Amino acid sequence: MQARKKYVLLGLCTCCWLLLFYWGGLQERLLALLTRRRGEVVRPWPDWLDRALLPGYAENAELQNGGGPGESPRQRRQAWASIYKNSHCRMDTCFDFGRCRGRDGFRVYVYPPEKGDRVSESYRKILASVAESRYYTSDPREACLFVLGIDTLDRDQLSTQFVPNVDERIRGYPLWNDGRNHVIFNLYSGTWPNYTEDLGFNVGQAILAKASLNTEHFRPGFDVSIPLFSKDHPQKGGERGWLLRNTVPPRRKYLLMFKGKRYLTGIGSDTRNALHHIHNGKDIVSLTTCKHGKDWEKHKDARCDHDNQEYERFDYQELLHNSTFCLVPRGRRLGSFRFLESLQAACIPVLLSNGWELPFSDVIQWNQAVIEGDERLLLQVPSTVRAVGVDRVLALRQRTQMLWEAYFSSVDKIVLTTLEIIKDRVYAHISRNKFMWNALPGGLVVLPEYSTHLAHYPFYYLNLGISPGQEFTAVIHAVSPLVSQSQPIMKLLQVVSKSKYCSQIIILWNSEKPPPHRSKWPPMPVPLVVTDGRRKVSTSSRFLPHVTIETEAVLSLDEDTVLLTSEVNFAFHVWQSFPERIVGYPPRSHFWDPVKKIWGYTSKWTNEYSIVLTGAAFYHRYYHYLFSHYLPPSLRALVDRTSNCEDILMNFLVSSVTHLPPIKVAQRKQYKDMPGPQSTNMAPWATPEHFNQRQDCVNTFASWFGYMPLVHSQLRLDPVLFKDHVSVLRKKYKDLERA
Amino acid sequence: VGFGLIMCASVKYSSRGPALIPRMKTKHRIYYITLFSVVLLGLIATGMFQFWPHSIESSPEWTLDRRSVHDAPLVKLPVSSPIPERGDLSCRMHTCFDVYRCGYNPKNRIKVYIYPLQRFVDEVGVPISSTGLSREYNDLLSAISDSDFYTDDVTRACLFVPSIDVLNQNSLRIRETAQALAMLPRWDKGMNHLLFNMLPGGPPDYNTALDVPRDRALLAGGGFSTWTYRQGYDVSIPVYSPLSAEVDLPEKQPGPRRYFILSSQTAIHREYRTELERLKEENGEALLLLDKCSNLSQGMASARKRCYKGQVYDYPQILQESSFCVVLRGARLGQATLSDVLQAGCVPVIMADSYILPFSEVLDWKRASVVIPEEKLPEMYTILKSIPHRQVEEMQRQARWFWEAYFRSMKAIGLTTLQIINDRIYPYAARTYEEWNNPPVVKWSSVSNPLFLPLIPPRSPGFTAVVLTYDRVESLFRVITEISKVPSLAKLLVVWNNQNKSPPEESLWPKIAVPLRVVRTKENKLSNRFFPFDEIETEAVLAIDDDIIMLTSDELQFGYEVWREFPDRLVGYPGRLHLWDHEMGKWKYESEWTNEVSMVLTGAAFYHKYFNYLYTYKMPGDIKNWVDAHMNCEDIAMNFLVANITGKAPIKVTPRKKFKCPECTAIDGLSLDQTHMVERSECINKFASVFGTMPLKVVEHRADPVLYKDDFPEKLKSFPNIGSL
């Protein structure tokens, strides 16, 4: 009986399990059901049973064949050149690269002005910028690019600046060649009521540098979108951005502001007519006025009177200063002045301009500086900007300033950026990458001919997570002939070569006498190179980009500099922390003379300085290149003519790039300073004439830069234990304290 | 009904129990009855789930069954069914894309819907595609459905991905495929639909975009030319190379390779091959020109072999032996070779005029490749030779990284495409250039300074002094009196950290010219000193202990001036150093007279208020709590934080003086001093492990006034009273 019971039980259990097994997947099913009930799906795309059997999308052979060799490339290129014209222009088909060959191939020619032509203020500035740039040529035969003398900025037929008959005139130019290699600048196109992008003449194969470009008409990689700027935009230099400090929390009084016209009719009115909806009178101020045009009262609606009243209550400038975000909606055209205005004011632009090809969009990453809104989603703008976090506001705001100062603050910069973008296309394999365009200090001061490698520049160490090299090259500028072994240069050579960071020494022999024989130089643990500069004795040659300099750091020295090895070592250590600045010993300062209304220069001991002399200074070798290739020949000629000021010019250059002062480090003795009145034969650098020259230099340089780039500093960097009351034995740089 | 029936049966069965098991005790009987009932109930439940599911589950199509592709429903296309218009070349996001479908979304993430698989056939039953669903497209769709982008709710979707496979145009019947697209239930002129195509065009003229008419659908295409690519609308994608899944090429260290230039493509036009051969003649061994093998024995996969003058090379392994690899256009612009080349860490030399490089909207190809106009092929060698070695190495690394992140699998390609579209729809939440382009190793070691703009803030707003105090009122008042003499002091904030005692009455506080505020804290925590109080209205904060009375007004004012020149750094008075203890194999804290500095104590330091935010809200790991629990090392934590985010060393100002601080006075004897040092060393090791690196930077300098200790009349110096003891 017991056994039977067992069998029955066993049988029943087996049955149950078999049944369960047959129906199977109970748990799985339960799970699926439960999750489905919560409205979620675990895995909606099925895991096919025959997944492994699915065919590949193409055979390996087919893929590697790449569609076969295709037609003859030569024929295809010829065919393209005839098909892709006008609105289909690309650099490959509408640009004659042959005109830009050679090392200095990128030359820009400006058509001479014609009699009776009126040129607008803005266009005059553009032409002046081209003519002053280092790419200008007056010879059309060597030109790679051509800029018209006819003012094409305003192509609104209703405008007083409209130039008629452009078509006929340009076709008469022998160089026109259907616009090949021409750049046409334009700010306004089309007219009431449609404001089309038509310029009123046939642009042909010319590159358009145009404001308010529409993405649909923009020929990618060919046209350049430029910002709309006013006729008061400065030619050079330009105002700095308004952001003086990074306040925390970064929010300003108003979150979002707009003050402008409301179009009652016509193109662009869709957006402008709706802007008042987001006004809340508290942190979002959106003010519109109906007053514009002659007959606005005809279209006047119920809102107008109240809106107009409210409009008068706020000041635009005040709003600009006190808003975190600024609405930049389209006007009749896509671009507007307020774009640059808010950029400068560090008021983060919120764009409502669908289809606008943003200025210099080829190279600038705009999403790091502006909020790109959508005209269709105007009502979402408040919640979008509210959701932007503290860190992001801080970053966006700083980026507006970086872009403003790098590319937009003057007509010079706008024109030069346009030219550089085209140049980067022409020499694509020696061009800046996106990082160079978007990181500080901006693309205009990064010359890709120097190097296309980021680590070769002084600006990007931190971004790349690397540090500057451990060695330097000493470059000694020698002008007096070698007559005795006790000359200062001998001592200097020994001192410098003893530094463990010194990898080579270069002597720039700039004396009329030939350089002495090798054996005359003292024996040294590092290689010595003597370059003979007699054929071309020039002061600026000390900053020639000598290919022999292999290290990132350069120690520039005058032959009569008196230094100690430990001073050199300490300064080099400091430079490694500040590789983008000049780190040196003797300081100088500039100041504004309010009476004479000029810049003054002083070598007196002061509590602050803005220049360190390059007679003894460390800096990155890139500045040699920048000095020789970025600065105009006129400034370098001035330096050569007077044999003076090259150090001031270098300080101007570096400070204009970094926006920061140089760094002075501790020094045992004051170098070449305060010549005592007792000294009878004054050195050339101590004469009053020399000093006046330097004062003139400061003013000449400031006018070329368009502003005063030099920045004052009040500090000096000393070794940590410098002159501390502690045993000298503990001090690494004890030599610095000896009298 | 079934349930009741079985219940009846079981009742009947149990009533028959005694007959079946006569001598069983009642207790046992109840036991067995219960057992059977449970088992039966279980069976019933199973039955219910088995037979009822169709009424519970909403969509019977996509259950979790592993099913065959051939089970997908068949759809017959009527001959007359509508054909979409050809793609509109003027389409842009603001004209052809319905942004309302995406809406405002707090996660800033688009929702993507995938159509269920259907098999389309024409009226006579011939399928529209010779391959049907391909493995690659299936992988792509599964990847999307597994991602955050996916939604199964068609009404909430922003983007629609058809399950019709159009990766390879050659396997499609153009007209019928177009009709099938138009039949999709949400097609609506192709609005918000995304098609993936890698091999566009067909012989002989090979169009550069998919020839299937597709209305306004977005196209993710491999092989766009600048004339077919709608910038900001289409997405340029790579041509996936299935070889990358077959062959495992481990990453090779960047550096010089055996060959300088390698050409591995098999279908190069005669004109170009002649050019390449001429280059080879001029430069010899540096170039290797491979072609397909003519006389391979049977069974060898010709796709995996290349030959040069009878010598056989393994492909793609041979790609790793060269610094540069040529990727020339064929009849098609997009080449699968590009993917192989990147995988091998070989720098691609791309010669395909007008080609839109894969993901060029976000990837900076100049850092990973060399693009040369086809016309300049003869100059290739000179151009490549002019690139610095270090840059070539970086490009090799970058090329490999691009492959790993964006080319490696269909999943990578698909999700990158969706991310790019996502970035367009939510541009304010878009990934940055650095996120897209920096390989992990660079991301890890580089810094992105939140205060990156070089600014020297104006002097006028001054600074806010924040004094942390517990109960040393007398000393506190002295500190307040001393600090109030500093010209640039704007406000004084006393953080009263004692919960048991109230701060002294208002009348007892020293009378000073600037506003003085007292904040009482809820808990006695060290981190209170770094809280971003609203009362701090200046950028510059001077953190100062309530016993630091030895700093002169000149020293403090000078410290503020130094901070203005370095607003993104800690600028402080007593400096400290971390050292690597070789014996113990860990970090050590050093406060002796050192020649170097890597930290400044926040017992007296200027810094930007932004770092208060960082300390309070963004401190990594558990450091903040750890500091509060140990009542120590808040200053070391601050130094770590600032150095880590800016990559810069702090600045120590002015000469060393006697500070009344725990480790330099040693009031309670040597032992306490030593414990203190041990604790501080522990902090450094703890923080270094949390940060995963040692962010502190060592420098050998400190800042002094320009004329410090110079032979110059003291009264003419701006800061004469510096360094007095």
Side-chain angles (χ1 to χ4, degrees):
Chain A
M1 213 53 219
Q2 202 68 352
R4 191 178 152 194
K5 197 170 83 191
K6 266 184 196 163
Y7 284 128
V8 170
L9 243 173
L10 208 74
L12 271 168
C13 284
T14 322
C15 277
C16 291
W17 284 117
L18 271 172
L19 278 166
L20 268 173
F21 187 77
Y22 175 70
W23 280 322
L26 174 71
Q27 279 176 335
E28 206 180 324
R29 204 158 272 279
L30 254 170
L31 239 163
L33 253 164
L34 288 174
T35 43
R36 199 165 286 244
R37 278 198 184 131
R38 277 185 226 122
E40 286 290 324
V41 172
V42 182
R43 197 166 193 288
W45 185 257
D47 201 359
W48 306 107
L49 274 175
D50 47 359
R51 190 195 159 275
L53 301 175
L54 290 176
Y57 79 108
E59 295 293 320
N60 264 335
E62 185 186 356
L63 281 172
Q64 289 185 359
N65 194 30
E71 61 196 314
S72 157
R74 211 165 291 134
Q75 282 170 14
R76 187 191 60 232
R77 284 203 295 269
Q78 276 165 5
W80 277 7
S82 55
I83 302 167
Y84 296 115
K85 288 285 169 226
N86 302 322
S87 67
H88 297 291
C89 264
R90 298 292 183 270
M91 293 301 271
D92 295 328
T93 60
C94 294
F95 194 87
D96 183 1
F97 289 90
R99 283 192 156 277
C100 315
R101 288 199 193 281
R103 191 154 178 80
D104 290 326
F106 194 76
R107 288 271 167 265
V108 187
Y109 173 78
V110 180
Y111 283 70
E114 284 176 48
K115 260 190 222 152
D117 254 3
R118 274 185 311 141
V119 169
S120 67
E121 183 64 12
S122 299
Y123 201 61
R124 190 194 56 71
K125 284 181 185 165
I126 289 179
L127 295 183
S129 294
V130 176
E132 270 205 33
S133 81
R134 57 183 183 279
Y135 300 123
Y136 176 74
T137 178
S138 52
D139 182 358
R141 279 167 306 174
E142 61 178 26
C144 162
L145 265 189
F146 297 86
V147 178
L148 289 180
I150 305 170
D151 183 354
T152 50
L153 283 189
D154 193 341
R155 299 303 298 162
D156 185 339
Q157 286 169 19
L158 302 178
S159 159
T160 50
Q161 285 168 340
F162 181 80
V163 182
N165 311 329
V166 175
D167 241 342
E168 289 136 56
R169 288 176 59 186
I170 51 175
R171 252 183 257 129
Y173 291 149
L175 297 166
W176 174 246
N177 191 15
D178 195 28
R180 253 174 126 77
N181 293 33
H182 281 63
V183 186
I184 289 170
F185 287 92
N186 175 265
L187 295 181
Y188 310 98
S189 65
T191 187
W192 172 265
N194 291 323
Y195 296 92
T196 56
E197 302 223 353
D198 180 32
L199 291 194
F201 65 96
N202 184 8
V203 201
Q205 303 178 40
I207 296 172
L208 263 183
K210 185 179 175 317
S212 303
L213 258 175
N214 189 317
T215 42
E216 280 176 44
H217 299 122
F218 177 71
R219 295 169 290 183
F222 191 70
D223 290 335
V224 182
S225 180
I226 60 169
L228 186 64
F229 59 89
S230 74
K231 64 179 194 303
D232 305 320
H233 209 60
Q235 170 89 57
K236 282 165 160 291
E239 264 186 75
R240 288 206 66 175
W242 291 359
L243 186 72
L244 298 177
R245 52 212 181 91
N246 282 308
T247 43
V248 172
R251 296 233 191 269
R252 295 177 176 173
K253 185 176 169 192
Y254 302 109
L255 177 72
L256 177 67
M257 80 87 162
F258 172 77
K259 184 177 176 186
K261 293 169 190 161
R262 175 157 74 94
Y263 303 144
L264 299 170
T265 53
I267 190 165
S269 62
D270 294 352
T271 303
R272 290 268 177 133
N273 240 336
L275 289 175
H276 60 79
H277 287 299
I278 59 169
H279 178 72
N280 69 5
K282 288 189 288 259
D283 60 344
I284 297 178
V285 180
S286 177
L287 306 163
T288 52
T289 178
C290 302
K291 289 184 191 166
H292 61 96
K294 276 163 272 172
D295 53 353
W296 68 273
E297 281 181 314
K298 254 199 284 183
H299 306 284
K300 183 172 160 179
D301 59 17
R303 293 196 63 87
C304 277
D305 285 330
H306 175 259
D307 283 355
N308 289 358
Q309 222 175 356
E310 189 81 357
Y311 184 84
E312 302 298 333
R313 279 184 45 225
F314 291 86
D315 178 53
Y316 179 63
Q317 293 294 317
E318 195 203 312
L319 286 174
L320 265 184
H321 273 284
N322 291 311
S323 268
T324 314
F325 295 95
C326 281
L327 213 51
V328 182
R330 58 169 299 163
R332 296 293 191 198
R333 300 181 179 88
L334 291 171
S336 60
F337 291 123
R338 69 183 77 240
F339 180 66
L340 283 192
E341 284 163 0
S342 31
L343 209 60
Q344 178 183 15
C347 183
I348 303 159
V350 178
L351 305 179
L352 287 179
S353 190
N354 287 0
W356 183 24
E357 188 70 33
L358 292 178
F360 307 135
S361 54
D362 259 22
V363 295
I364 295 179
Q365 309 245 297
W366 279 108
N367 61 16
Q368 301 305 308
V370 303
I371 305 277
E372 290 165 78
D374 190 320
E375 285 181 53
R376 295 171 290 177
L377 302 176
L378 170 70
L379 297 183
Q380 275 183 22
V381 166
S383 45
T384 305
V385 295
R386 257 182 239 286
V388 180
V390 171
D391 287 315
R392 185 115 172 100
V393 171
L394 215 55
L396 287 166
R397 186 179 289 163
Q398 291 179 80
R399 189 136 307 259
T400 59
Q401 300 297 283
M402 183 255 143
L403 292 176
W404 163 259
E405 276 167 27
Y407 305 114
F408 299 107
S409 64
S410 66
V411 177
D412 248 11
K413 285 180 188 161
I414 295 174
V415 170
L416 206 58
T417 310
T418 311
L419 296 182
E420 292 287 355
I421 288 175
I422 298 172
K423 178 164 160 275
D424 267 9
R425 292 175 187 161
V426 176
Y427 308 97
H429 56 277
I430 336 173
S431 59
R432 303 161 181 88
N433 60 36
K434 282 251 171 69
F435 182 82
M436 290 168 170
W437 281 106
N438 288 281
L440 280 163
L444 295 187
V445 289
V446 170
L447 308 183
E449 295 83 4
Y450 162 74
S451 173
T452 43
H453 185 40
L454 292 173
H456 284 168
Y457 288 88
F459 321 115
Y460 310 129
Y461 292 115
L462 285 172
N463 304 89
L464 299 174
I466 54 173
S467 23
Q470 292 292 324
E471 288 179 325
F472 68 83
T473 302
V475 178
I476 303 174
H477 192 230
V479 285
S480 42
L482 196 66
V483 284
S484 97
Q485 286 293 319
S486 62
Q487 260 172 267
I489 191 167
M490 291 304 185
K491 173 87 177 118
L492 184 64
L493 279 172
Q494 275 173 350
V495 163
V496 172
S497 64
K498 257 196 274 170
S499 167
K500 61 180 171 191
Y501 307 112
C502 183
S503 78
Q504 59 171 345
I505 298 178
I506 298 171
I507 296 179
L508 302 176
W509 191 256
N510 241 351
S511 162
E512 274 114 59
K513 297 264 172 56
H517 190 259
R518 281 220 155 261
S519 58
K520 300 272 184 189
W521 300 109
M524 278 177 295
V526 294
L528 175 76
V529 180
V530 182
T531 63
D532 191 353
R534 276 176 304 151
R535 268 148 290 153
K536 195 186 160 203
V537 181
S538 68
T539 314
S540 64
S541 72
R542 74 179 300 162
F543 297 131
L544 279 182
H546 307 283
V547 280
T548 31
I549 303 177
E550 281 164 8
T551 59
E552 288 143 74
V554 175
L555 171 60
S556 167
L557 295 164
D558 280 348
E559 57 178 0
D560 52 354
T561 306
V562 180
L563 279 177
L564 297 172
T565 308
S566 58
E567 282 176 310
V568 171
N569 287 346
F570 175 66
F572 180 63
H573 268 289
V574 172
W575 176 84
Q576 288 183 307
S577 291
F578 304 95
E580 80 282 21
R581 306 205 208 182
I582 304 181
V583 173
Y585 309 90
R588 295 290 183 268
S589 192
H590 78 284
F591 60 92
W592 176 248
D593 186 338
V595 183
K596 292 188 201 153
K597 296 220 166 21
I598 55 166
W599 293 105
Y601 168 85
T602 176
S603 60
K604 293 205 182 84
W605 287 22
T606 51
N607 283 297
E608 52 180 21
Y609 62 93
S610 53
I611 297 170
V612 295
L613 300 184
T614 51
F618 279 98
Y619 50 79
H620 196 280
R621 72 170 164 173
Y622 174 59
Y623 291 122
H624 270 234
Y625 193 88
L626 211 53
F627 190 96
S628 322
H629 292 85
Y630 176 77
L631 295 173
S634 61
L635 293 192
R636 271 177 286 137
L638 171 75
V639 166
D640 285 344
R641 201 170 56 242
T642 55
S643 296
N644 196 351
C645 302
E646 80 286 359
D647 47 358
I648 300 181
L649 186 52
M650 188 56 136
N651 274 276
F652 264 78
L653 178 65
V654 177
S655 282
S656 74
V657 170
T658 60
H659 297 297
L660 293 168
I663 285 179
K664 172 181 164 40
V665 291
Q667 187 186 18
R668 188 176 51 127
K669 269 193 227 158
Q670 288 299 320
Y671 155 96
K672 286 203 298 195
D673 241 332
M674 295 260 147
Q678 69 275 16
S679 59
T680 41
N681 54 343
M682 276 163 112
W685 44 261
T687 61
E689 189 202 345
H690 181 89
F691 182 81
N692 287 338
Q693 260 177 3
R694 290 174 79 80
Q695 177 123 339
D696 292 344
C697 284
V698 171
N699 285 290
T700 315
F701 299 159
S703 80
W704 184 80
F705 280 92
Y707 72 113
M708 171 49 78
L710 296 179
V711 186
H712 281 114
S713 171
Q714 301 190 62
L715 58 93
R716 180 182 85 196
L717 293 184
D718 293 339
V720 172
L721 298 179
F722 185 67
K723 303 214 170 165
D724 274 356
H725 297 282
V726 57
S727 158
V728 244
L729 297 175
R730 281 184 178 275
K731 298 187 181 180
K732 184 173 174 187
Y733 299 105
K734 43 186 167 288
D735 292 352
L736 266 68
E737 297 179 24
R738 283 201 210 123
Chain B
V1 179
F3 187 76
L5 205 83
I6 298 170
M7 268 305 267
C8 286
S10 78
V11 171
K12 232 167 110 184
Y13 179 77
S14 57
S15 66
R16 260 198 338 222
L20 199 71
I21 318 160
R23 269 184 290 161
M24 199 179 264
K25 283 177 190 162
T26 326
K27 206 171 118 191
H28 283 122
R29 219 160 57 195
I30 293 169
Y31 169 76
Y32 280 109
I33 290 165
T34 325
L35 188 83
F36 285 132
S37 313
V38 166
V39 168
L40 279 168
L41 274 170
L43 284 173
I44 292 156
T46 321
M48 279 173 65
F49 281 121
Q50 184 60 36
F51 297 119
W52 284 8
H54 296 295
S55 55
I56 297 168
E57 288 171 24
S58 53
S59 83
E61 300 286 334
W62 307 116
T63 55
L64 275 154
D65 288 44
R66 297 165 61 87
R67 299 162 49 143
S68 161
V69 174
H70 302 289
D71 296 343
L74 212 60
V75 179
K76 197 169 267 190
L77 296 165
V79 183
S80 59
S81 87
I83 301 175
E85 285 169 35
R86 286 199 65 83
D88 180 359
L89 268 181
S90 66
C91 262
R92 293 296 181 273
M93 287 309 259
H94 63 276
T95 52
C96 294
F97 192 86
D98 182 4
V99 73
Y100 298 109
R101 284 187 181 281
C102 308
Y104 179 73
N105 172 335
K107 274 189 185 162
N108 296 325
R109 198 156 265 281
I110 54 169
K111 289 281 166 219
V112 183
Y113 174 79
I114 304 176
Y115 284 100
L117 187 67
Q118 289 171 315
R119 288 180 302 144
F120 290 93
V121 291
D122 65 9
E123 282 201 323
V124 289
V126 182
I128 59 165
S129 148
S130 58
T131 50
L133 180 70
S134 69
R135 186 167 47 226
E136 282 79 11
Y137 200 56
N138 178 53
D139 288 351
L140 180 83
L141 294 180
S142 333
I144 295 176
S145 81
D146 282 344
S147 74
D148 293 355
F149 291 110
Y150 182 77
T151 180
D152 66 335
D153 184 352
V154 73
T155 56
R156 281 169 57 203
C158 154
L159 202 61
F160 302 87
V161 180
S163 55
I164 303 167
D165 181 353
V166 293
L167 281 181
N168 184 352
Q169 187 185 314
N170 279 349
S171 59
L172 298 178
R173 295 167 66 197
I174 308 278
R175 185 190 143 89
E176 286 74 14
T177 310
Q179 287 175 322
L181 287 173
M183 271 185 73
L184 295 172
R186 298 263 167 173
W187 179 251
D188 187 20
K189 288 238 162 281
M191 202 87 100
N192 296 27
H193 279 65
L194 174 64
L195 305 180
F196 285 89
N197 166 256
M198 285 180 175
L199 300 178
D205 53 342
Y206 288 98
N207 194 356
T208 51
L210 181 67
D211 281 320
V212 176
R214 52 186 190 275
D215 279 334
R216 293 169 161 193
L218 297 145
L219 184 60
F224 277 119
S225 87
T226 157
W227 292 289
T228 49
Y229 178 66
R230 296 169 291 183
Q231 198 162 15
Y233 193 65
D234 292 328
V235 182
S236 177
I237 59 170
V239 179
Y240 175 69
S241 167
L243 267 188
S244 56
E246 277 173 39
V247 188
D248 181 38
L249 289 183
E251 186 169 1
K252 193 169 171 176
Q253 275 304 305
R257 305 270 158 93
R258 188 154 148 224
Y259 305 105
F260 186 60
I261 302 172
L262 174 76
S263 162
S264 66
Q265 285 167 292
T266 51
I268 296 179
H269 193 273
R270 212 169 353 97
E271 286 174 25
Y272 286 150
R273 199 167 273 285
T274 322
E275 297 280 8
L276 286 171
E277 269 156 15
R278 189 153 61 226
L279 277 175
K280 163 93 183 151
E281 269 166 41
E282 286 164 15
N283 302 294
E285 288 297 296
L287 269 79
L288 181 61
L289 300 185
L290 300 177
D291 204 343
K292 55 175 163 285
C293 301
S294 45
N295 48 354
L296 274 184
S297 56
Q298 285 287 312
M300 271 173 110
S302 66
R304 303 279 305 277
K305 296 286 169 200
R306 292 289 185 279
C307 288
Y308 173 67
K309 289 196 176 159
Q311 200 171 344
V312 186
Y313 296 85
D314 283 332
Y315 183 88
Q317 287 83 348
I318 183 66
L319 295 173
Q320 287 199 313
E321 301 299 319
S322 179
S323 298
F324 292 96
C325 294
V326 177
V327 182
L328 259 171
R329 66 164 291 163
R332 285 206 178 94
L333 278 171
Q335 299 284 323
T337 313
L338 179 60
S339 182
D340 298 335
V341 166
L342 293 175
Q343 184 184 14
C346 182
V347 180
V349 182
I350 300 164
M351 281 173 281
D353 291 356
S354 85
Y355 177 43
I356 304 290
L357 286 164
F359 304 131
S360 58
E361 192 170 330
V362 292
L363 299 190
D364 190 348
W365 279 99
K366 281 184 187 169
R367 288 175 70 180
S369 70
V370 184
V371 179
I372 299 179
E374 289 172 47
E375 214 179 0
K376 288 198 173 166
L377 175 58
E379 295 162 46
M380 173 172 70
Y381 187 81
T382 344
I383 290 172
L384 297 182
K385 268 289 170 198
S386 70
I387 301 172
H389 293 297
R390 277 171 65 189
Q391 191 182 353
V392 176
E393 287 174 22
E394 206 186 274
M395 288 168 117
Q396 288 170 341
R397 193 176 304 126
Q398 195 79 10
R400 172 76 185 192
W401 147 248
F402 276 4
W403 179 79
E404 272 171 14
Y406 310 112
F407 280 67
R408 153 176 228 130
S409 59
M410 289 305 288
K411 176 180 178 180
I413 295 172
L415 296 187
T416 307
T417 309
L418 293 185
Q419 184 63 45
I420 289 176
I421 296 172
N422 197 81
D423 280 6
R424 290 179 192 158
I425 292 168
Y426 306 106
Y428 40 87
R431 290 227 253 160
T432 62
Y433 173 91
E434 284 77 14
E435 286 171 282
W436 282 112
N437 289 287
N438 280 354
V441 51
V442 176
K443 277 190 193 121
W444 180 240
S445 58
S446 68
V447 295
S448 62
N449 188 348
L451 306 170
F452 62 87
L453 195 69
L455 285 176
I456 298 184
R459 181 178 298 125
S460 56
F463 64 89
T464 306
V466 178
V467 194
L468 183 76
T469 191
Y470 191 72
D471 57 359
R472 282 186 285 200
V473 175
E474 194 190 335
S475 166
L476 170 71
F477 284 1
R478 269 187 73 193
V479 169
I480 293 176
T481 321
E482 285 301 314
I483 301 177
S484 68
K485 293 175 193 158
V486 184
S488 284
L489 179 73
K491 192 191 253 184
L492 235 157
L493 191 67
V494 175
V495 180
W496 190 265
N497 229 358
N498 189 340
Q499 284 74 38
N500 306 322
K501 206 164 120 185
S502 300
E505 264 177 62
E506 213 181 316
S507 58
L508 299 175
W509 291 79
K511 299 285 166 291
I512 58 169
V514 298
L516 183 128
R517 301 270 180 282
V518 182
V519 231
R520 297 196 61 180
T521 57
K522 289 203 182 74
E523 266 179 285
N524 181 18
K525 288 199 287 193
L526 271 180
S527 55
N528 287 340
R529 89 172 322 166
F530 294 133
F531 188 82
F533 296 104
D534 287 340
E535 282 83 356
I536 306 174
E537 287 167 307
T538 58
E539 274 177 282
V541 179
L542 167 66
I544 192 157
D545 284 346
D546 60 1
D547 56 353
I548 304 290
I549 44 171
M550 61 298 285
L551 286 171
T552 66
S553 159
D554 269 355
E555 282 166 341
L556 286 169
Q557 180 66 27
F558 177 67
Y560 174 61
E561 301 291 342
V562 173
W563 174 85
R564 286 178 52 229
E565 291 189 32
F566 303 101
D568 56 346
R569 302 192 191 217
L570 278 170
V571 173
Y573 297 84
R576 293 292 180 266
L577 184 67
H578 72 286
L579 289 170
W580 182 253
D581 189 334
H582 286 282
E583 282 172 34
M584 308 287 282
K586 56 183 194 179
W587 296 105
K588 203 174 96 184
Y589 179 77
E590 187 62 78
S591 71
E592 278 302 299
W593 297 90
T594 56
N595 284 290
E596 293 164 320
V597 167
S598 63
M599 289 174 274
V600 293
L601 300 186
T602 51
F606 287 93
Y607 60 86
H608 199 286
K609 190 190 170 188
Y610 178 74
F611 296 126
N612 273 349
Y613 275 93
L614 280 189
Y615 189 97
T616 311
Y617 303 113
K618 301 271 174 74
M619 181 63 91
D622 59 339
I623 292 184
K624 197 165 155 252
N625 293 332
W626 200 84
V627 165
D628 286 336
H630 287 71
M631 275 302 224
N632 198 352
C633 299
E634 89 284 9
D635 47 356
I636 298 182
M638 189 59 142
N639 275 280
F640 265 75
L641 186 73
V642 176
N644 184 55
I645 199 150
T646 63
K648 295 177 181 175
I651 302 233
K652 170 185 163 42
V653 275
T654 68
R656 172 141 187 165
K657 22 186 2 177
K658 208 74 179 149
F659 271 95
K660 195 168 165 253
C661 56
E663 75 252 24
C664 35
T665 46
I667 331 148
D668 298 306
L670 202 67
S671 62
L672 183 71
D673 195 29
Q674 268 174 353
T675 6
H676 179 76
M677 298 303 285
V678 170
E679 269 179 29
R680 306 276 284 178
S681 296
E682 256 175 43
C683 291
I684 294 186
N685 284 299
K686 157 85 184 164
F687 299 164
S689 75
V690 173
F691 277 85
T693 174
M694 170 46 78
L696 297 179
K697 297 272 182 301
V698 180
V699 291
E700 297 187 340
H701 54 252
R702 71 162 201 248
D704 287 326
V706 181
L707 299 175
Y708 173 70
K709 293 271 181 178
D710 273 349
D711 186 13
F712 193 74
E714 288 293 316
K715 61 177 182 213
L716 293 180
K717 292 183 181 175
S718 303
F719 308 101
N721 194 3
I722 295 254
S724 57
L725 289 170

